[in-house]
Amino acid sequence: MRGNADLYELFAKLDIAFDYYEHPPVPTVEEASKYWKDIEATHCKNLFFRNHKGNKHYLVILEYRHSLAIRDLEQRLKQGKLTFASPERMMKYLGVEPGSVSPLGLISDKAHHVHLFLDENIKHSKTISFHPCINTASVVIKYSDFIRFLEHLENSYEYVRLYED
């Protein structure tokens, strides 16, 4: 299996079962979606932002078929002006390169700096999929195990309504 070895070790420690799927490199969810068509899970779009001062970072997670304008997102999150984080910040806080952003990368955020905003619509998911810190694979885990993973890492998170169904 490719991806972050520490991630698979933590999955084993937390007794998190997962399904692993390899695919060609996919830097966007649009490209990845063609490889997900037979995988039963909620597939997510993961967006990594920084605030205007660059001293706060946010990971926004929503179902991949939905899109958001940054201005709308700024109003919903109430965190001021947001911009996409640079590749250097992605590596520093998530240990990933562009195209591989994933909440599973929070395993690299030892200081618990990154705050997550989870769209409240995904909390009803049975299973959920993310890149294992590389964009040539996807892993599927139970949603309840994903929350256990987040609780173990101790990054702050909250649910917000990012779009209307």
Side-chain angles (χ1 to χ4, degrees):
M1 283 180 290
R2 293 193 250 159
N4 185 320
D6 292 340
L7 173 66
Y8 300 122
E9 192 174 299
L10 181 57
F11 278 178
K13 177 182 172 186
L14 296 176
D15 197 27
I16 294 176
F18 63 94
D19 292 322
Y20 174 87
Y21 301 90
E22 280 193 15
H23 47 68
V26 286
T28 67
V29 293
E30 292 78 16
E31 292 177 54
S33 67
K34 62 184 163 191
Y35 301 103
W36 294 335
K37 63 183 169 122
D38 296 323
I39 301 173
E40 184 67 33
T42 298
H43 303 287
C44 295
K45 182 181 293 190
N46 307 287
L47 306 170
F48 190 51
F49 294 98
R50 55 166 256 186
N51 68 351
H52 183 65
K53 292 181 182 178
N55 62 348
K56 293 185 181 178
H57 292 81
Y58 310 100
L59 184 55
V60 177
I61 302 170
L62 65 153
E63 202 273 336
Y64 84 97
R65 290 176 289 193
H66 297 279
S67 60
L68 291 172
I70 290 180
R71 186 173 176 95
D72 184 42
L73 187 63
E74 289 169 345
Q75 293 172 345
R76 289 178 187 268
L77 301 185
K78 299 175 177 53
Q79 300 299 313
K81 183 170 173 44
L82 299 175
T83 57
F84 285 106
S86 67
E88 294 79 19
R89 289 171 189 262
M90 286 180 195
M91 186 55 69
K92 177 179 179 179
Y93 293 108
L94 300 177
V96 301
E97 295 178 353
S100 299
V101 172
S102 167
L104 303 180
L106 291 170
I107 194 167
S108 298
D109 184 16
K110 304 298 184 200
H112 318 297
H113 172 80
V114 177
H115 179 77
L116 276 79
F117 287 103
L118 303 163
D119 181 72
E120 67 179 26
N121 292 298
I122 67 170
K123 70 180 168 183
H124 306 293
S125 302
K126 181 179 175 185
T127 57
I128 194 161
S129 77
F130 301 108
H131 286 314
C133 305
I134 57 166
N135 67 2
T136 57
S138 297
V139 294
V140 175
I141 61 175
K142 290 181 185 174
Y143 187 76
S144 58
D145 285 341
F146 172 59
I147 297 303
R148 275 194 314 115
F149 174 82
L150 290 180
E151 300 279 335
H152 176 80
L153 294 180
E154 300 180 350
N155 283 76
S156 58
Y157 68 92
E158 64 187 279
Y159 289 99
V160 291
R161 183 174 271 306
L162 294 176
Y163 58 87
E164 303 298 324
D165 266 347

